[in-house]
Amino acid sequence: MFKKFYPDKYIESTYIIDFDELYAKGYRGVIFDVDNTLVEHGYPADDRSKALIGHLKELGFKVLFLSNNKEERVKTFNDAVDCMYIYKAGKPSVKGYLKAMEMMGTDKSNTLFCGDQLFTDVWGAKNTGIYSILVKPINKKEEIQIVLKRRLEWIVLKSYKHYCKKNSKVYLETSENTKW
């Protein structure tokens, strides 16, 4: 019942994802949510996010930010890292994900998505047919509508945890040391 919301990977933080390994596996495009995935909600790009995006570009990745926020918010973040972006994306609609791949010149087989919400980020990526990585939100303090969604996400994540245990899969990848 909940499988359509299960991420391909659940990782503690965007900043411990082994993007070098993903590049070696053939991925060439990374679509990111911004708020609570790369920085706290509403914050500008910080040194850590700038370093990560810089490394991704050095590797050869195309990077695009896909956000349901207004352009002003996404542009403010993007000004410091100079990538492509789509605002008011309408996630989880497939339309934004397809447009993102078109803009990056990638396809479903070599694009991945990284975000902090199951019902927008992961569900949209899965419906599009691209690899999805769920990360824990950076900041637990969120707007009320997101807090309510997080309670529903908890139910799905509990089911996902059971699924992982039953299928000998890692539920949540963690690391004491962040790369960035």
Side-chain angles (χ1 to χ4, degrees):
M1 177 174 158
F2 293 128
K3 277 189 177 181
K4 65 183 170 187
F5 300 112
Y6 292 174
D8 292 300
K9 278 205 182 259
Y10 184 24
I11 301 180
E12 186 176 48
S13 167
T14 302
Y15 297 100
I16 64 169
I17 296 171
D18 190 343
F19 286 103
D20 294 59
E21 180 184 324
L22 290 166
Y23 192 84
K25 287 183 176 180
Y27 289 98
R28 296 298 181 261
V30 182
I31 304 171
F32 284 108
D33 178 50
V34 176
D35 288 325
N36 258 344
T37 299
L38 292 166
V39 292
E40 289 186 36
H41 185 81
Y43 279 54
D46 56 14
D47 290 341
R48 184 169 70 161
S49 60
K50 290 176 192 175
L52 174 61
I53 301 303
H55 179 68
L56 294 175
K57 288 178 175 183
E58 285 172 7
L59 284 173
F61 275 110
K62 300 286 186 185
V63 179
L64 185 139
F65 306 116
L66 187 67
S67 176
N68 285 346
N69 272 308
K70 295 177 183 174
E71 183 175 22
E72 181 182 347
R73 164 63 190 129
V74 185
K75 185 180 181 321
T76 299
F77 179 87
N78 187 58
D79 283 347
V81 293
D82 192 30
C83 294
M84 296 171 272
Y85 66 89
I86 299 171
Y87 63 95
K88 290 188 180 180
K91 293 181 293 183
S93 171
V94 170
K95 186 177 175 183
Y97 296 84
L98 294 174
K99 183 177 178 184
M101 288 185 287
E102 180 183 327
M103 289 171 66
M104 292 188 298
T106 61
D107 59 40
K108 295 174 187 179
S109 70
N110 64 3
T111 304
L112 63 97
F113 184 90
C114 180
D116 69 300
Q117 293 189 49
L118 282 176
F119 301 130
T120 51
D121 299 332
V122 171
W123 191 21
K126 287 188 71 76
N127 283 339
T128 307
I130 62 176
Y131 190 80
S132 63
I133 300 174
L134 176 68
V135 295
K136 284 188 168 188
I138 291 173
N139 188 350
K140 301 288 185 214
K141 250 184 143 175
E142 297 177 298
E143 297 169 354
I144 188 65
Q145 71 272 17
I146 295 175
V147 170
L148 296 173
K149 279 199 274 183
R150 295 285 186 210
R151 291 181 184 204
L152 295 173
E153 284 182 353
W154 181 84
I155 295 167
V156 175
L157 286 173
K158 190 171 181 169
S159 173
Y160 176 66
K161 186 175 187 176
H162 177 74
Y163 167 82
C164 289
K165 187 175 181 179
K166 184 177 174 184
N167 291 286
S168 302
K169 291 180 68 169
V170 174
Y171 166 66
L172 174 65
E173 291 185 25
T174 61
S175 173
E176 303 237 347
N177 301 314
T178 58
K179 208 171 178 182
W180 306 101

